[in-house]
Amino acid sequence: MTSTTADGPALAGEELPGKEEGRERPDGDPFDADALPASPGATRALLASLLAPMRARVVVASLLLLVQQAAVQAGPLLVAYAIDSGVPAFRDHDYGPLAAVGIGYAVCAVGAGLLQYAFIRAAARINQDVLLDLRGRIFRHAQTLSVDFHERYTSGRLISRSTTDVESLRELLSEGLQELVGVILSFVSISLMLLWLDLGIGAIAVASFAPLYLLVRGYRRRAVAAYSARSSAMAEVIVKFAETMNGIRPVQAFRREPANDKDFAVFNRRHERRNGDALLEMARYVVSSRLVANTAVAAMVLWGASRVASGTLALGVLAAAVLYLRRLYDPIDRLAMFLNSYQSAAASLEKIAGLLAQTPAVPEPAAPKALPVLTGEHPGREVTFEGVGFAYRTGGEVLPRFTLTIPAGRTVAVVGSTGAGKSTLAKLLARFYDPTQGRVLLDGTDLRDLATTELRRGVVMVTQEAFLFSGTIAENIAIGRPEATPEEIEHAAKAIGAHDFISSLPDGYATDVRKRGGRISAGQRQLVAFARALLADPAVLILDEATSSLDVPGERAVQRAMDTVLHGRTAVVIAHRLSTVEIADRVLVMEHGRIVEDGSPAELIGGTGRFAGLHKAWRESLA
Ligand SMILES: Nc1ncnc2c1ncn2[C@@H]1O[C@H](COP(=O)(O)OP(=O)(O)OP(=O)(O)O)[C@@H](O)[C@H]1O
Ligand SMILES: [Mg+2]
């Protein structure tokens, strides 16, 4: 029971990210509050399965990058050759070596550019395909998970999985990995080059890696804490924002704006501070690593210069070494960026892997059984609750064991006080949950043995929420039977008394109900939902407060329609208004999950039980 409040049910499903998260621990990361644990190998397995179909393309992209790096690193070597061999030859009027260097330099520069272009293109394609696949998997998987899952794992979290988390993987794949491969390749190739040019200078460069490694490690450790604090603070900002805007009607009605402003300012400032902390960590790392790098460069240049002066080192070699050194330490800053994107991508991928590892609580049967074929005169099916008990995952027992048989074609009304368990009973019959004990049977077949398509065709539930999808009114009515003709759609709408209001809409049946029925009233939405159920033509129809938003004439019209519609069909009608109950063959009165009265309307009204009392009070209220 979440809707039909003063704000109207229109908002019930139109959730912004994190709408429900506001209810969770105010101090924790709401997106992580119920994080699903992924098994240790699951994250790697997910990444491997994403990349597997493009193995060949990954190899090609890596080769492109390798050759491109070689072309880039050739530059200083050519400069050394030009200084030490080209210039002396030039003095002897031998222009060949210098010309060769010039051509070689140009070829390397143009080649490196072209190769980089090819690599970026190849990497972007791989990247796009991986993300397309991943986002599709998240959507498809989340759709198959049961209602029970969606009640715990809010839509805000799902949205954050398929946007923020996919995005952080995109950053890693598009920039981070290229960066890392570039850094590693240049570290290795430049070190080798320096060692080859001059053993002593090369040794200093390699020795400087030890303090740099320690700095990277320390930064990594502190950055994890700083960035996770920042993302928790960001989540708080999003949650507060989404919750406020989503509940804007009660916010304004109860003048919550000043209090919200104050809360928001606190969260906003906290995020700013956490962001500052993270940036400071990065600044510390960059400054100290540059200090190490510059010290090493200074040592090498001084030592090299003294050796050039004493004639033990060629000038060209020193020039090449200095050029290489600049390139060697350049990527250290970028390494920090890579670490950041790697960390957030790893965390995101783990969350996604956890989500994808979930299995539906209401699983599809391995070997579905078929329902017996319905004979023409009898469109209904027998419904049996056999020793059924039920508890929601988060609460105590809602329904103690009970047994109930509704013969095919009968209409049963269920009444009882708020929270008695009526909707729970309905949801068990529609198999949104499986009972914790006992079985629910349709014509003798356990619902758990029915293929979902057969179950959904056979049992249709109309609730007070009356959710409308974006699209036209006609499409909304035809959701249960997309192949229905316009005549059939109109016939269903007429039968339910919805035709008049639909005809008065700007485009009639072709009117777009975008913004989830924002343009039509709650009662009109219920009429559309009713017409949808009629057209779906199920063997068992469940109406849970399905007429609660209709006015009395509207409800009467629906009742008249129901008399014909429900004829021969099995129906469970849950209603607070007793007028709806009179068409039932049998009435069940529920209290605290138990059926306390069971009989025909006439019997119960004539008796002295709860229903008789309710009915009397209702009669008096009409007089
Ligand atoms: N998704 C859920 N998770 C946990 N508990 C739930 C959930 N839905 C309902 N409950 C609890 O189960 C009990 C029965 O709820 P149910 O919705 O079946 O009542 P109801 O008879 O339909 O009431 P109403 O007349 O208000 O619609 C209530 O105590 C409620 O708090
Ligand atoms: Mg209910």
Side-chain angles (χ1 to χ4, degrees), residues 69-404:
Q69 279 293 315
V72 169
Q73 302 308 358
L77 212 57
L78 289 167
V79 171
Y81 181 73
I83 294 176
D84 292 338
S85 313
V87 173
F90 190 83
R91 287 198 190 110
D92 300 338
H93 304 286
D94 177 6
Y95 310 119
L98 215 50
V101 167
I103 293 170
Y105 208 92
V107 167
C108 282
V110 173
L114 289 177
L115 284 166
Q116 179 150 28
Y117 175 75
F119 169 78
I120 290 175
R121 259 182 65 137
R125 290 234 176 98
I126 295 174
N127 205 351
Q128 276 164 5
D129 288 353
V130 165
L131 299 182
L132 191 81
D133 180 12
L134 186 61
R135 200 172 273 139
R137 284 197 210 186
I138 295 173
F139 184 82
R140 282 195 302 274
H141 190 75
Q143 255 200 148
T144 65
L145 291 173
S146 314
V147 172
D148 155 74
F149 169 84
H150 290 280
E151 280 168 354
R152 288 177 299 132
Y153 201 85
T154 54
S155 62
R157 278 196 212 130
L158 282 176
I159 291 171
S160 139
R161 285 307 82 86
S162 60
T163 55
T164 323
D165 288 336
V166 170
E167 190 60 19
S168 75
L169 187 64
R170 187 195 68 78
E171 270 168 35
L172 177 72
L173 290 179
S174 68
E175 289 136 36
L177 278 184
Q178 183 188 355
E179 200 80 350
L180 178 72
V181 174
V183 168
I184 291 175
L185 281 181
S186 60
F187 266 137
V188 172
S189 61
I190 295 175
S191 306
L192 289 176
M193 208 69 98
L194 284 171
L195 285 168
W196 178 67
L197 281 174
D198 185 85
L199 215 55
I201 290 181
I204 297 180
V206 172
S208 72
F209 293 164
L212 286 177
Y213 171 72
L214 292 179
L215 282 176
V216 167
R217 236 183 48 171
Y219 170 69
R220 202 191 134 164
R221 216 184 37 239
R222 283 190 302 276
V224 174
Y227 279 90
S228 102
R230 188 184 74 164
S231 87
S232 301
M234 190 65 228
E236 279 175 352
V237 171
I238 295 176
V239 165
K240 187 71 204 170
F241 201 101
E243 191 193 41
T244 305
M245 300 311 155
N246 223 18
I248 193 71
R249 283 180 242 182
V251 163
Q252 295 187 348
F254 293 97
R255 295 185 305 283
R256 287 282 302 164
E257 297 95 328
N260 281 338
D261 278 347
K262 219 161 34 191
D263 288 353
F264 189 77
V266 170
F267 292 139
N268 207 8
R269 223 171 296 126
R270 188 178 301 163
H271 171 250
E272 228 24 60
R273 265 205 307 279
R274 300 280 173 271
N275 195 30
D277 293 347
L279 288 177
L280 213 61
E281 282 302 336
M282 176 118 156
R284 280 196 200 112
Y285 163 78
V286 168
V287 168
S288 42
S289 63
R290 280 200 191 146
L291 196 68
V292 170
N294 287 333
T295 311
V297 172
M300 283 181 269
V301 171
L302 281 177
W303 187 49
S306 71
R307 283 174 54 200
V308 170
S310 65
T312 51
L313 186 70
L315 180 62
V317 171
L318 179 63
V322 171
L323 287 176
Y324 275 127
L325 285 175
R326 287 191 51 124
R327 289 188 184 184
L328 179 62
Y329 296 118
D330 249 11
I332 301 181
D333 297 358
R334 301 206 304 269
L335 201 58
M337 305 271 199
F338 165 77
L339 282 177
N340 294 339
S341 65
Y342 171 78
Q343 249 136 29
S344 70
S348 293
L349 208 56
E350 194 182 327
K351 287 183 202 160
I352 294 174
L355 169 64
L356 293 179
Q358 290 293 300
T359 50
V362 177
E364 187 81 27
K369 290 186 187 155
L371 285 172
V373 178
L374 285 171
T375 54
E377 49 170 327
H378 231 309
R381 293 191 186 273
E382 183 190 74
V383 167
T384 313
F385 287 80
E386 201 182 82
V388 167
F390 182 73
Y392 287 100
R393 194 186 278 261
T394 48
E397 187 174 64
V398 175
L399 299 177
R401 289 177 74 94
F402 77 100
T403 295
L404 168 73

Side-chain angles (χ1 to χ4, degrees), residues 15-38:
E15 283 165 5
L16 290 166
K19 174 199 165 198
E20 290 144 286
E21 270 90 349
R23 292 197 214 116
E24 290 158 12
R25 300 174 303 159
D27 55 340
D29 173 2
F31 291 129
D32 285 342
D34 194 15
L36 303 166

